[in-house]
Amino acid sequence: MSGHGFHVHGPHDHAVEHAAHGSDDFSNNIAVMTAILATVGALFGYLGGATQNDAALFKNNAAIDKTQAANSWNYYQAKSSKQNLAELAMTLPGVDPKKYEAEVARYKHEKEDIKKEAEKWEDSSKEWNHKSDESMHQHHQWALATTAEQIAISLAAITLLTRKKWMMGLAYGVAGVGIALGAFAWLHVDPIGQLLAKLGGAAAGH
């Protein structure tokens, strides 16, 4: 779901425009409410698209570092092969072992440096993957918040057509849920995920 996929406009726009031109307070309140929700939904949609882009960028960085790690490990294997050949040469008859001892020691030292380099790239790749997963999870939170605002706008349009105050209350309630979800996403808090994790842990315990 890309940032362009988030939108808060729909067939109800005509009803909202009609409300904006209305003379009664009820219609005017609906128009103001819808305009505010559309603005909030657009902001949530933008932030959702931004976090998705971050997730893609972090995943790309992880892939690059993983490739660097693989190259380092290949280099490590090449040094290991040379070390093995040098160790084998030391056992051949008529060969001065000391001639190859220095080479074996050099390859061991070089391998240690290459190993540290490979592990550094692997750790970096894991860190980028972790950041990507976090950004993608936050993107899903923004998507839920945006969806809630879209539903609230649709309920506002229905309220305008039916003129039922309880529908307005429902629209306000859903809008509040959407704003709460957006606040949680902004604060990097996931109460829904934590609740599901606890329920899953409790079920596993039984």
Side-chain angles (χ1 to χ4, degrees), residues 1-6 43-61 128-129 131-143 146 185 188:
M1 183 183 296
S2 66
H4 298 293
F6 291 132
L43 177 61
F44 288 173
Y46 170 78
L47 293 171
T51 51
Q52 186 182 36
N53 291 336
D54 287 343
L57 176 62
F58 296 156
K59 185 65 72 174
N60 183 65
N61 289 343
W128 283 121
N129 271 322
K131 289 182 178 180
S132 177
D133 291 342
E134 285 187 335
S135 292
M136 200 62 193
H137 182 71
Q138 193 179 16
H139 163 73
H140 291 150
Q141 288 183 281
W142 286 121
T146 305
H188 298 269

Side-chain angles (χ1 to χ4, degrees), residues 117-176:
E117 185 76 7
E119 290 174 342
K120 182 195 76 172
W121 287 118
E122 283 189 339
D123 290 340
S124 178
S125 178
K126 289 178 182 178
E127 182 64 24
W128 283 121
N129 271 322
H130 179 67
K131 289 182 178 180
S132 177
D133 291 342
E134 285 187 335
S135 292
M136 200 62 193
H137 182 71
Q138 193 179 16
H139 163 73
H140 291 150
Q141 288 183 281
W142 286 121
L144 286 174
T146 305
T147 300
E149 298 308 306
Q150 291 175 330
I151 294 173
I153 292 175
S154 297
L155 290 173
I158 296 173
T159 301
L160 176 64
L161 297 175
T162 62
R163 305 188 72 83
K164 295 184 180 297
K165 290 187 177 180
W166 69 267
M167 285 292 298
M168 178 184 287
L170 181 60
Y172 276 123
V174 175

Side-chain angles (χ1 to χ4, degrees), residues 26-201:
F26 187 83
S27 298
N28 290 338
N29 289 338
I30 294 295
V32 172
M33 173 189 175
T34 304
I36 294 173
L37 293 180
T39 302
V40 173
L43 177 61
F44 288 173
Y46 170 78
L47 293 171
T51 51
Q52 186 182 36
N53 291 336
D54 287 343
L57 176 62
F58 296 156
K59 185 65 72 174
N60 183 65
N61 289 343
I64 292 174
D65 288 356
K66 190 68 175 178
T67 300
Q68 293 283 6
N71 291 338
S72 294
W73 283 121
N74 289 336
Y75 191 33
Y76 179 89
Q77 291 298 328
K79 290 293 182 180
S80 293
S81 297
K82 291 182 178 180
Q83 178 186 334
N84 292 336
L85 290 175
E87 291 173 344
L88 178 62
M90 291 172 60
T91 63
L92 296 177
V95 173
D96 183 9
K98 294 183 178 180
K99 177 181 177 182
Y100 294 98
E101 284 180 358
E103 289 189 18
V104 171
R106 177 167 60 87
Y107 289 138
K108 285 183 178 180
H109 178 72
E110 290 176 347
K111 281 171 59 182
E112 285 300 316
D113 291 338
I114 296 170
K115 181 180 179 182
K116 291 178 181 178
E117 185 76 7
E119 290 174 342
K120 182 195 76 172
W121 287 118
E122 283 189 339
D123 290 340
S124 178
S125 178
K126 289 178 182 178
E127 182 64 24
W128 283 121
N129 271 322
H130 179 67
K131 289 182 178 180
S132 177
D133 291 342
E134 285 187 335
S135 292
M136 200 62 193
H137 182 71
Q138 193 179 16
H139 163 73
H140 291 150
Q141 288 183 281
W142 286 121
L144 286 174
T146 305
T147 300
E149 298 308 306
Q150 291 175 330
I151 294 173
I153 292 175
S154 297
L155 290 173
I158 296 173
T159 301
L160 176 64
L161 297 175
T162 62
R163 305 188 72 83
K164 295 184 180 297
K165 290 187 177 180
W166 69 267
M167 285 292 298
M168 178 184 287
L170 181 60
Y172 276 123
V174 175
V177 170
I179 291 173
L181 290 172
F184 288 136
W186 179 265
L187 296 173
H188 298 269
V189 177
D190 183 16
I192 298 176
Q194 293 173 0
L195 178 61
L196 292 176
K198 287 181 180 180
L199 293 175

